[in-house]
Amino acid sequence: MIPKTFNEVIDLGDGREIKLETGKLAKQAHGSVVVQMGNAMLLCTVVSSYKESSLDFFPLTVDYREKFAAAGRYPGGFFKREARPSDGEVLTMRIVDRVLRPLFPSDYRTETQVMIQLMSHDEDVMPDALAGLAASTAIQLSDIPFETAISEARVGRVNGEFVINPSRSQLLESDIDMIIGASADSVMMVEGEMDEISEEEMAEAIQFAHEHIKKQVEAQLRLAEAFGKKPTREYNPGKEDEAIEKKVHEAAYQKIYDIAKGGHSKRDRGEAFSAVKEEVLALFSEEELEENEKLIKTYFNKVEKEAVRELTLAEGIRLDGRKTDEIRPIWCETDYLPSVHGSAIFTRGETQALATVTLGTSREANTIDMPTHQGEETFYLHYNFPPFCTGEAYPIRGTSRREIGHGNLAQRALKGMLPENNPYTVRVVSEVLESNGSSSMATVCAGTMAMMDAGIKMKKPVSGIAMGLISDGERHAVLSDILGDEDHLGDMDFKVTGTADGITACQMDIKVKGLPYEILVKALKQARNGRLHILEKLTETISEPNESVKAHAPKIITRRIPNEFIGALIGPGGKVIQELQKTTGTEIVINEDPVTEEGIVEILGTKQEGIDKVLAKIDSVTFKPEKGSVYEVTVVKVLDFGVVVEYNDAPGNEVLLHISELAWERTENVSDVLKLGDVLDVKYFGVDPRTKKPKVSRKALMEKPERSPRKEDEDKKS
């Protein structure tokens, strides 16, 4: 018998609905829900161990997977089975994790896993916008301690009107693509890309999404109530000791405050804080340390956070001595690496990124093969964050989720500024060499300069800045160009990128509850001032894209040819094109335009001479003589019944000049008139309806001799 189900419906206000269902699937999970919009269905489960972990952090895993069967497709590859998550799946995991994680109790230490699976796909529904709603609903249906229900929604703007959870086709016409995560009271996460919008427009988009999220939160609470809200489980909240907390505070607060006020470098400051920590630990006996060392260190970290925040709020002074709106010193350099197609160094304070650009053909495009989306990216950016950039040593085990997320943010910031007619596939790689505050924004700046150095005709240069916020409810300080420590100690970390004319991408994590929109807009405007300052530094280094690509970089020429000539250019078994690439030192790629069915030929080479030879071959292959036109030809073969001639303007294109078309008078021997290598003009008459072959004539260009009366009489008699 099918079990009883509990359902809720969320009306999106435009005829579309989101349905929540529980009670039918995955009943052994601690919470499970099916979220459906159109034909798209996501199953989300949550399980949290009842046994406390020995780890000193909250071991939360958020996993999002798209099943190929959901779209009626087979996985690619040899094994025909879903394997490691794609970058798109990882990005969805991150946007859900960033909203959920802060809402679990800070002292909760049990292994918790949220699994979201796309089980059915709808072309008109983008499932990543539903993942946060699914995760929060599953948690609400469980007994896991969690502060408040949340949800996430995508917002677009088409023809000036905001659209909630737009389809992929609508996004193609939208100038905004943002996902917002929020509770009923507070916005907590924003991520997306925009087409140079203003700070006020961005705030309006966030507010629009928040109003829809409030309805989604209410639906979750109604479903949990109908299903039967489970009592929140009890767990060991961890040890507390007021006496120890007071002792640590009295011993450390002022010392930390004074060190923080000293404006030291990251290393010196870290060493000074560590020295104070050792002094605090020395105040306790070996027996006390054996029992409470972890608790003492926790209280020390709490005091450190309190002192640094108070310094900024009370005196407007930051850890490195800067004012709240001050940007660290910047230096930049382009063309640093001699062999790459484009390179740039961007250094801001103790953060440094070295970006490289590689130019290629459509063959180097990045293939996207997900159940919900297939396509190619001709611009993509990769971000690497090695251990040495923070002075650490640890094993490297593949690309981290953080690297994927930061690279995607920088890619979204820059991609809108590529020219429409850019012929290249462009790969940007950012190597983070130092990090103390927003290496992703350093990547945007280095990437901009590297592309201009490579000769990419960017519409406008882009810069980025990481901002922070410290607030105690009454006082607040907006911090420009935050340090790594300020990111950890603050109430908001938001990164904003843009041109001089508007925002192109953003990523925000907001920890303070009920942040007024006025403060958000103020922070965004302060970010704009910082962006423009950084942009000025970039354009001092390189103000315009280089006129051409570097001498050792490939030049690319694109030529369209009629579909009927593609086979001739490729040749049997690829013989013609392979030989052409070998002799010209070029790379040739031929694609077919699905709309016009023309052949798109891309020629990539470092030497213009080789490219010109390929173009000449294309002209030769696609040559079509026009009826009535005169062409210069060369005799390439002498036959008994005529000569074979080659068009001088189209080498390789040959046609028979019949013996009867050599001269007006009768020709007995071809060799009496023409020999091998002779150059002459012929007139083209089109296809001869009798022979069905092209007809050319030499005699048509010669004056016809006058016939004598006697010859005419003889002809009549005959």
Side-chain angles (χ1 to χ4, degrees):
M1 185 177 77
I2 298 176
K4 179 182 178 182
T5 60
F6 299 84
N7 302 274
E8 276 293 333
V9 175
I10 302 165
D11 185 358
L12 296 182
D14 57 4
R16 296 176 300 155
E17 295 178 337
I18 300 175
K19 299 176 183 177
L20 308 178
E21 178 187 276
T22 192
K24 183 182 290 186
L25 304 183
K27 296 176 72 174
Q28 292 192 47
H30 297 162
S32 73
V33 67
V34 173
V35 176
Q36 180 172 359
M37 181 175 172
N39 288 332
M41 297 177 72
L42 288 85
L43 169 65
C44 180
T45 60
V46 60
V47 173
S48 187
S49 173
Y50 287 94
K51 181 181 178 181
E52 186 176 351
S53 169
S54 60
L55 300 171
D56 60 355
F57 60 88
F58 175 36
L60 170 67
T61 301
V62 175
D63 195 82
Y64 170 80
R65 301 297 176 101
E66 296 182 353
K67 304 298 183 180
F68 275 83
R73 297 184 60 229
Y74 282 89
F78 183 78
F79 292 105
K80 300 303 177 193
R81 179 173 185 149
E82 287 88 353
R84 62 178 295 277
S86 66
D87 284 3
E89 289 168 318
V90 169
L91 294 170
T92 302
M93 296 176 198
R94 280 176 53 83
I95 62 173
V96 176
D97 185 296
R98 283 161 45 203
V99 182
L100 295 185
R101 191 174 292 272
L103 297 176
F104 289 92
S106 59
D107 52 6
Y108 193 59
R109 293 288 185 273
T110 62
E111 187 83 33
T112 303
Q113 186 177 49
V114 177
M115 292 191 68
I116 312 161
Q117 303 177 71
L118 177 69
M119 309 302 289
S120 178
H121 175 50
D122 186 325
E123 285 290 337
D124 293 325
V125 177
M126 298 184 69
D128 57 345
L130 304 174
L133 168 62
S136 177
T137 305
I139 295 171
Q140 294 305 307
L141 295 168
S142 75
D143 64 346
I144 300 169
F146 194 70
E147 185 176 324
T148 183
I150 62 93
S151 190
E152 294 178 348
R154 171 178 269 108
V155 59
R157 186 171 64 175
V158 180
N159 298 324
E161 297 292 327
F162 289 124
V163 181
I164 201 71
N165 289 356
S167 65
R168 195 177 297 278
S169 60
Q170 286 178 307
L171 281 182
L172 295 176
E173 303 173 12
S174 174
D175 62 350
I176 295 175
D177 177 9
M178 287 172 30
I179 289 186
I180 291 87
S183 66
D185 302 321
S186 304
V187 173
M188 307 172 69
M189 188 279 300
V190 179
E191 178 154 342
E193 61 186 89
M194 311 87 183
D195 186 10
E196 297 183 282
I197 67 171
S198 68
E199 289 73 17
E200 290 82 2
E201 288 174 308
M202 182 171 165
E204 288 176 21
I206 294 172
Q207 284 181 300
F208 174 80
H210 195 192
E211 292 305 313
H212 282 270
I213 286 172
K214 291 176 183 177
K215 298 176 183 177
Q216 296 177 16
V217 168
E218 291 171 2
Q220 294 176 51
L221 300 180
R222 290 196 304 269
L223 182 66
E225 190 67 31
F227 180 69
K229 183 65 177 173
K230 300 174 184 177
T232 301
R233 70 173 66 174
E234 295 183 0
Y235 69 95
N236 182 6
K239 192 175 180 181
E240 294 287 342
D241 191 313
E242 291 184 10
I244 293 177
E245 183 177 13
K246 182 179 179 182
K247 186 175 181 178
V248 172
H249 191 280
E250 290 176 349
Y253 181 85
Q254 192 59 48
K255 292 180 180 178
I256 292 173
Y257 192 96
D258 293 340
I259 292 169
K261 194 174 179 178
H264 302 289
S265 68
K266 178 183 177 180
R267 177 178 293 179
D268 293 343
R269 184 171 61 248
E271 290 175 352
F273 283 161
S274 295
V276 175
K277 182 187 286 187
E278 292 302 318
E279 291 176 14
V280 170
L281 291 172
L283 298 175
F284 297 88
S285 66
E286 290 186 12
E287 292 79 11
E288 289 174 317
L289 288 176
E290 186 175 346
E291 183 179 354
N292 296 309
E293 184 175 358
K294 185 182 289 187
L295 183 62
I296 294 167
K297 290 180 178 179
T298 299
Y299 287 142
F300 180 85
N301 293 337
K302 184 178 178 182
V303 171
E304 181 182 340
K305 181 175 181 178
E306 180 185 344
V308 172
R309 288 168 61 88
E310 180 59 27
L311 173 66
T312 303
L313 288 171
E315 302 189 45
I317 298 175
R318 300 165 64 178
L319 282 170
D320 57 357
R322 283 182 292 150
K323 298 175 183 177
T324 56
D325 61 351
E326 191 174 347
I327 312 296
R328 287 173 289 176
I330 294 170
W331 67 265
C332 312
E333 184 179 341
T334 60
D335 199 21
Y336 179 72
L337 301 173
S339 297
V340 303
H341 298 164
S343 65
I345 304 170
F346 176 82
T347 306
R348 183 192 60 240
E350 295 174 298
T351 296
Q352 184 178 75
L354 170 61
T356 60
V357 170
T358 307
L359 307 177
T361 66
S362 59
R363 188 176 290 161
E364 281 71 50
N366 185 38
T367 301
I368 300 172
D369 185 22
M370 297 173 63
T372 56
H373 180 47
Q374 300 85 49
E376 290 184 338
E377 292 177 324
T378 55
F379 172 73
Y380 48 100
L381 187 150
H382 293 149
Y383 165 101
N384 296 318
F385 192 87
F388 67 78
C389 73
T390 53
E392 298 174 276
Y394 53 79
I396 299 174
R397 295 189 175 94
T399 306
S400 69
R401 291 186 179 186
R402 180 182 182 278
E403 287 173 308
I404 292 172
H406 280 35
N408 179 258
L409 174 62
Q411 178 175 322
R412 299 176 87 176
L414 294 171
K415 72 176 185 181
M417 290 301 111
L418 263 72
E420 301 293 336
N421 60 349
N422 175 50
Y424 293 100
T425 290
V426 180
R427 181 185 184 227
V428 179
V429 179
S430 173
E431 307 290 350
V432 179
L433 306 181
E434 289 185 63
S435 181
N436 182 18
S438 193
S439 52
S440 63
M441 296 297 95
T443 292
V444 171
C445 299
T448 290
M449 293 188 294
M451 285 200 291
M452 291 199 291
D453 180 54
I456 300 298
K457 307 300 181 187
M458 293 184 69
K459 299 174 186 175
K460 301 170 189 175
V462 180
S463 64
I465 189 170
M467 305 290 292
L469 173 72
I470 294 177
S471 174
D472 63 1
E474 296 180 1
R475 299 173 296 172
H476 67 269
V478 178
L479 310 180
S480 297
D481 180 23
I482 58 173
L483 303 170
D485 288 342
E486 291 173 330
D487 180 5
H488 173 67
L489 300 172
D491 296 315
M492 179 166 68
D493 165 29
F494 66 105
K495 304 174 179 71
V496 188
T497 73
T499 67
D501 298 318
I503 300 170
T504 60
C506 74
Q507 185 182 91
M508 296 189 188
D509 291 300
I510 304 169
K511 306 166 194 173
V512 62
K513 298 175 185 177
L515 178 70
Y517 279 96
E518 311 85 73
I519 295 179
L520 176 62
V521 172
K522 176 188 175 183
L524 287 170
K525 288 187 173 180
Q526 185 170 319
R528 183 177 186 274
N529 294 335
R531 272 197 353 258
L532 295 179
H533 169 77
I534 295 170
L535 194 61
E536 185 178 341
K537 296 294 183 182
L538 304 188
T539 52
E540 285 175 4
T541 304
I542 181 167
S543 58
E544 298 286 342
N546 287 334
E547 282 299 317
S548 61
V549 299
K550 298 182 186 301
H552 61 274
K555 291 81 179 168
I556 192 167
I557 299 292
T558 302
R559 185 67 74 80
R560 286 178 173 263
I561 64 174
N563 180 280
E564 62 199 81
F565 294 112
I566 294 176
L569 184 57
I570 295 173
K575 182 179 179 181
V576 173
I577 195 170
Q578 289 172 11
E579 181 65 22
L580 190 59
Q581 290 181 118
K582 183 179 178 181
T583 57
T584 61
T586 60
E587 181 180 348
I588 305 170
V589 179
I590 303 177
N591 297 307
E592 187 174 330
D593 189 314
V595 179
T596 65
E597 296 187 349
E598 289 179 299
I600 304 172
V601 185
E602 298 174 12
I603 311 154
L604 194 77
T606 56
K607 296 181 179 179
Q608 190 62 44
E609 180 184 356
I611 294 174
D612 290 342
K613 287 181 180 178
V614 177
L615 291 173
K617 180 63 176 178
I618 293 173
D619 289 340
S620 174
V621 169
T622 59
F623 176 74
K624 277 188 174 182
E626 294 183 10
K627 190 174 181 179
S629 297
V630 177
Y631 296 96
E632 185 181 73
V633 297
T634 300
V635 177
V636 295
K637 190 180 295 184
V638 178
L639 305 170
D640 292 339
F641 51 86
V643 293
V644 177
V645 295
E646 180 183 63
Y647 292 99
N648 289 353
D649 289 339
N653 280 269
E654 300 174 351
V655 65
L656 175 67
L657 174 58
H658 194 266
I659 190 172
S660 63
E661 297 296 331
L662 292 180
W664 287 105
E665 59 273 10
R666 182 180 179 85
T667 303
E668 297 294 340
N669 295 308
V670 174
S671 57
D672 292 341
V673 181
L674 293 172
K675 61 182 183 297
L676 199 66
D678 281 352
V679 177
L680 63 148
D681 289 340
V682 296
K683 186 174 183 178
Y684 180 70
F685 284 94
V687 176
D688 189 321
R690 183 171 56 85
T691 64
K692 308 298 183 186
K693 293 181 179 180
K695 178 182 177 181
V696 292
S697 175
R698 175 176 177 260
K699 73 179 185 182
L701 301 176
M702 303 168 68
E703 186 176 348
K704 187 175 181 179
E706 293 185 9
R707 308 185 72 179
S708 65
R710 180 180 176 183
K711 180 67 174 173
E712 289 180 5
D713 290 341
E714 290 177 356
D715 287 344
K716 288 178 182 178
K717 290 177 181 178
S718 63

